[in-house]
Amino acid sequence: MGNPQLTMAGLRPDLWAIGHSTSETAAVIQRDGVILAASADSPSLSALRDWLTAWEKAGRPAPETYTPTLVPADDDQSSAGWHLRLSR
């Protein structure tokens, strides 16, 4: 997922969610499968659904099947830092 809008949210101390966000919209999926979105027509919700569809088509690979790599952020959207890249 090489997407700078990938988001992780701490909804409560014991509840984390992963999703998509921009400066105007957000959508996340909780560990229990509940999806929360800014609105029913949220562009972030559409992006999250696309990611979920791609994951389904890939056979629902488990996180441990991916190899993580950190690469320096060198794009216009990041002033400094790193991007996490996953490969299989």
Side-chain angles (χ1 to χ4, degrees):
M1 271 193 217
N3 193 308
Q5 282 78 38
L6 179 63
T7 299
M8 187 163 185
L11 304 176
R12 294 190 316 254
D14 62 339
L15 180 61
W16 287 88
I18 189 168
H20 182 278
S21 68
T22 69
S23 61
E24 313 237 340
T25 68
V28 295
I29 184 167
Q30 299 173 171
R31 292 182 84 182
D32 61 4
V34 172
I35 295 176
L36 305 171
S39 66
D41 62 346
S42 165
S44 288
L45 179 57
S46 178
L48 181 59
R49 285 182 173 149
D50 289 346
W51 291 349
L52 289 170
T53 298
W55 176 69
E56 290 275 345
K57 287 181 179 178
R60 295 181 168 199
E64 57 270 9
T65 64
Y66 290 92
T67 302
T69 305
L70 288 175
V71 295
D74 61 357
D75 56 33
D76 293 334
Q77 297 178 1
S78 300
S79 58
W82 299 86
H83 290 296
L84 173 64
R85 298 287 184 251
L86 300 176
S87 60
R88 287 183 64 193

